[in-house]
mmCIF file of all heavy atoms in Angstrom:
data_model
loop_
_atom_site.group_PDB
_atom_site.id
_atom_site.type_symbol
_atom_site.label_atom_id
_atom_site.label_comp_id
_atom_site.label_asym_id
_atom_site.label_seq_id
_atom_site.Cartn_x
_atom_site.Cartn_y
_atom_site.Cartn_z
ATOM 1 N N VAL A 415 111.985 86.615 161.740
ATOM 2 C CA VAL A 415 111.193 87.438 160.822
ATOM 3 C C VAL A 415 112.119 88.347 160.021
ATOM 4 O O VAL A 415 111.968 88.525 158.818
ATOM 5 C CB VAL A 415 110.139 88.270 161.595
ATOM 6 C CG1 VAL A 415 109.526 89.314 160.667
ATOM 7 C CG2 VAL A 415 109.027 87.362 162.155
ATOM 8 N N SER A 436 114.412 86.350 134.579
ATOM 9 C CA SER A 436 113.879 85.661 135.726
ATOM 10 C C SER A 436 112.582 84.899 135.422
ATOM 11 O O SER A 436 112.206 83.972 136.174
ATOM 12 C CB SER A 436 113.583 86.685 136.835
ATOM 13 O OG SER A 436 112.669 87.687 136.409
ATOM 14 N N GLU A 452 104.718 79.971 154.209
ATOM 15 C CA GLU A 452 104.565 78.973 155.279
ATOM 16 C C GLU A 452 105.309 79.381 156.528
ATOM 17 O O GLU A 452 104.807 79.255 157.617
ATOM 18 C CB GLU A 452 105.078 77.606 154.763
ATOM 19 C CG GLU A 452 104.883 76.490 155.767
ATOM 20 C CD GLU A 452 105.479 75.165 155.278
ATOM 21 O OE1 GLU A 452 106.011 75.137 154.148
ATOM 22 O OE2 GLU A 452 105.439 74.199 156.046
ATOM 23 N N LYS A 454 106.153 82.435 157.456
ATOM 24 C CA LYS A 454 105.477 83.546 158.029
ATOM 25 C C LYS A 454 104.238 83.149 158.840
ATOM 26 O O LYS A 454 103.992 83.648 159.937
ATOM 27 C CB LYS A 454 105.008 84.554 156.945
ATOM 28 C CG LYS A 454 106.124 85.443 156.405
ATOM 29 C CD LYS A 454 105.577 86.436 155.406
ATOM 30 C CE LYS A 454 106.676 87.353 154.912
ATOM 31 N NZ LYS A 454 106.167 88.310 153.907
ATOM 32 N N VAL A 490 124.647 81.527 129.659
ATOM 33 C CA VAL A 490 124.157 80.960 128.425
ATOM 34 C C VAL A 490 123.620 82.044 127.507
ATOM 35 O O VAL A 490 123.827 82.046 126.291
ATOM 36 C CB VAL A 490 123.081 79.864 128.717
ATOM 37 C CG1 VAL A 490 122.455 79.396 127.424
ATOM 38 C CG2 VAL A 490 123.707 78.671 129.442
ATOM 39 N N LYS A 509 124.978 90.766 103.410
ATOM 40 C CA LYS A 509 124.102 91.742 102.762
ATOM 41 C C LYS A 509 124.941 92.818 102.042
ATOM 42 O O LYS A 509 124.630 93.239 100.962
ATOM 43 C CB LYS A 509 123.132 92.398 103.776
ATOM 44 C CG LYS A 509 122.001 91.497 104.204
ATOM 45 C CD LYS A 509 121.055 92.208 105.130
ATOM 46 C CE LYS A 509 119.897 91.345 105.551
ATOM 47 N NZ LYS A 509 118.979 92.072 106.502
ATOM 48 N N SER A 533 126.524 103.748 67.965
ATOM 49 C CA SER A 533 127.136 105.070 68.077
ATOM 50 C C SER A 533 127.338 105.666 66.700
ATOM 51 O O SER A 533 127.430 104.933 65.678
ATOM 52 C CB SER A 533 128.447 105.026 68.841
ATOM 53 O OG SER A 533 129.375 104.230 68.107
ATOM 54 N N VAL A 544 118.563 120.502 44.041
ATOM 55 C CA VAL A 544 118.750 119.516 42.984
ATOM 56 C C VAL A 544 118.589 120.241 41.625
ATOM 57 O O VAL A 544 117.529 120.777 41.301
ATOM 58 C CB VAL A 544 117.759 118.333 43.069
ATOM 59 C CG1 VAL A 544 118.016 117.317 41.968
ATOM 60 C CG2 VAL A 544 117.866 117.684 44.465
ATOM 61 N N GLU A 591 108.585 122.426 65.005
ATOM 62 C CA GLU A 591 107.701 121.513 64.308
ATOM 63 C C GLU A 591 108.537 120.527 63.486
ATOM 64 O O GLU A 591 109.523 120.927 62.865
ATOM 65 C CB GLU A 591 106.730 122.244 63.428
ATOM 66 C CG GLU A 591 105.714 121.349 62.755
ATOM 67 C CD GLU A 591 104.712 122.152 61.929
ATOM 68 O OE1 GLU A 591 104.684 123.382 62.010
ATOM 69 O OE2 GLU A 591 103.935 121.482 61.170
ATOM 70 N N GLU A 616 114.901 104.351 58.171
ATOM 71 C CA GLU A 616 115.738 103.580 57.235
ATOM 72 C C GLU A 616 116.189 102.309 57.968
ATOM 73 O O GLU A 616 116.653 102.357 59.121
ATOM 74 C CB GLU A 616 116.920 104.367 56.786
ATOM 75 C CG GLU A 616 117.756 103.712 55.723
ATOM 76 C CD GLU A 616 117.081 103.807 54.371
ATOM 77 O OE1 GLU A 616 116.162 104.666 54.159
ATOM 78 O OE2 GLU A 616 117.433 103.002 53.474
ATOM 79 N N ASP A 626 129.428 103.776 56.763
ATOM 80 C CA ASP A 626 128.956 105.126 56.353
ATOM 81 C C ASP A 626 127.517 105.044 55.825
ATOM 82 O O ASP A 626 127.160 104.153 55.080
ATOM 83 C CB ASP A 626 129.872 105.691 55.257
ATOM 84 C CG ASP A 626 131.267 105.986 55.761
ATOM 85 O OD1 ASP A 626 131.384 106.296 56.961
ATOM 86 O OD2 ASP A 626 132.211 105.855 54.971
ATOM 87 N N LEU A 643 117.538 128.042 62.593
ATOM 88 C CA LEU A 643 118.341 126.853 62.973
ATOM 89 C C LEU A 643 117.460 125.622 63.011
ATOM 90 O O LEU A 643 116.434 125.608 63.648
ATOM 91 C CB LEU A 643 118.956 127.110 64.343
ATOM 92 C CG LEU A 643 119.827 125.982 64.865
ATOM 93 C CD1 LEU A 643 121.085 125.811 64.063
ATOM 94 C CD2 LEU A 643 120.181 126.203 66.379
ATOM 95 N N ASN A 645 117.312 121.504 63.937
ATOM 96 C CA ASN A 645 117.953 120.472 64.752
ATOM 97 C C ASN A 645 117.679 119.095 64.206
ATOM 98 O O ASN A 645 116.516 118.770 63.872
ATOM 99 C CB ASN A 645 117.438 120.515 66.224
ATOM 100 C CG ASN A 645 117.922 121.745 66.948
ATOM 101 O OD1 ASN A 645 119.106 121.949 67.166
ATOM 102 N ND2 ASN A 645 117.000 122.624 67.292
ATOM 103 N N THR A 658 122.857 116.839 65.266
ATOM 104 C CA THR A 658 123.573 117.808 64.456
ATOM 105 C C THR A 658 122.582 118.944 64.102
ATOM 106 O O THR A 658 121.375 118.857 64.438
ATOM 107 C CB THR A 658 124.167 117.179 63.184
ATOM 108 O OG1 THR A 658 124.955 118.166 62.494
ATOM 109 C CG2 THR A 658 123.082 116.647 62.242
#
Side-chain angles (χ1 to χ4, degrees):
V415 169
S436 59
E452 182 184 358
K454 281 184 179 179
V490 171
K509 284 183 177 179
S533 62
V544 181
E591 184 176 350
E616 188 74 20
D626 293 329
L643 180 68
N645 290 296
T658 185

